[in-house]
Amino acid sequence: MLVVGNWKMHGSKAENESRFGLLAARLADSPRVGAVVCVPFPYLAQAESALGASSVGLGVQDISAQATGAYTGEVSAAMAADFGCGYAIIGHSERRSNHAESASTIAMKAKRASEHGLVPIVCVGETLEEREAGRTALVVTTQVNEVLDLLPEAGPQNFVIAYEPLWAIGTGKSASGAEAQQVHACIRASLCGRAKRLKAVRVLYGGSVKASTAADLFRQPDIDGALVGGASLDAEEFVQICLAASGVTSAEA
Ligand code: PEP
């Protein structure tokens, strides 16, 4: 199980300090779940020093598709790795829509992440219109395959998918466990059809996950964790989601 917090463009040095402290202390003994936080770039140094000795992993929310050079404002995979990052969110729907990221750019970013030892967390998901038109399975498996075409070495250790239906992101309207499972099963079948070794690739669910909805999602056979936006800004709520993933109820924590 893997639970990843996406802080988006939130935080300040003061706020982060208390969040990092709480996460490091409360997640110290949760061996069955990997917890990762993806912070804004300016806070990587602070995160590395606060979490470096803890069991909480560090990631970024995006990286450049370029390796190095005259690309003003961009941050490379090598730079993220230099700050101790182990993960990079790639192709989040906010990047796809606000920055017009194409399939080839997203695949290239995933490749750059892999080249520098970062595990790409590749986000896929359908719009409400696509869902209503019965195109969900086609849309998400196409998005996965566009990236895998450029990553022949992808496997369970170095590649993660996050299924994030666009209608559930930041809306408070999470897919139910059963709804999400249907799509996760499609993704799993498509991975298996491509190569046997891809069967164990982790497929996270993202979209308005909260502590109160996490257990229903995590008990589904093809849901291997969560990508959490808004709720990850509340450190205690994020901890509760991680504990749900590790099978520990809040009463036991
Ligand atoms: C996200 O942005 O990846 C996300 C899942 O956000 P939220 O949890 O706020 O819906």
Side-chain angles (χ1 to χ4, degrees), residues 4-21 23 36-41 43-44 46-47 50-51 56-61 89 92 94 227-235 238:
V4 180
N6 173 12
W7 287 12
K8 308 197 185 190
M9 199 170 70
H10 294 286
S12 67
K13 282 205 264 184
E15 278 172 15
N16 303 345
E17 201 177 312
S18 59
R19 266 190 215 131
F20 290 142
L23 295 178
V36 173
V37 286
C38 296
V39 303
F41 291 127
Y43 300 130
L44 283 176
Q46 186 189 14
L51 299 176
V56 182
L58 184 57
V60 284
Q61 301 167 19
I89 297 173
H92 190 281
E94 287 154 14
L227 178 53
V228 185
S232 71
L233 297 171
D234 177 337
F238 186 70

Side-chain angles (χ1 to χ4, degrees), residues 44-232:
L44 283 176
Q46 186 189 14
E48 186 185 28
S49 104
L51 299 176
S54 82
S55 60
V56 182
L58 184 57
V60 284
Q61 301 167 19
D62 179 43
I63 50 161
S64 177
Q66 311 296 335
T68 185
Y71 300 101
T72 303
E74 299 214 23
V75 174
S76 70
M79 292 170 183
D82 210 10
F83 281 89
C85 289
Y87 295 83
I89 297 173
I90 304 289
H92 190 281
S93 64
E94 287 154 14
R95 301 288 319 174
R96 289 181 194 258
S97 62
N98 299 343
H99 300 271
E101 288 192 2
S102 66
S104 59
T105 299
I106 289 163
M108 199 59 215
K109 287 183 174 196
K111 187 170 160 61
R112 291 289 177 219
S114 294
E115 285 169 357
H116 292 278
L118 304 178
V119 175
I121 301 170
V122 176
C123 300
V124 301
E126 82 286 8
T127 63
L128 189 56
E129 294 70 35
E130 288 164 339
R131 166 162 283 253
E132 286 172 351
R135 300 185 59 230
T136 300
L138 178 67
V139 168
V140 299
T141 55
T142 301
Q143 288 173 333
V144 169
N145 284 325
E146 284 162 351
V147 174
L148 285 175
D149 287 345
L150 215 60
L151 287 184
E153 308 299 323
Q157 306 306 323
N158 59 9
F159 184 67
V160 171
I161 295 167
Y163 166 57
E164 298 208 306
L166 271 65
W167 46 270
I169 297 179
T171 60
K173 218 181 123 197
S174 173
S176 67
E179 276 174 327
Q181 166 59 27
Q182 247 188 350
V183 184
H184 280 239
C186 270
I187 294 172
R188 184 89 56 211
S190 166
L191 289 169
C192 290
R194 206 179 156 104
K196 254 204 180 120
R197 70 172 193 289
L198 295 172
K199 182 170 191 242
V201 161
R202 280 169 296 183
V203 185
L204 315 183
Y205 169 79
S208 297
V209 175
K210 300 188 214 60
S212 58
T213 56
D216 176 39
L217 292 161
F218 295 151
R219 77 169 67 93
Q220 307 299 325
D222 290 303
I223 297 184
D224 306 313
L227 178 53
V228 185
S232 71

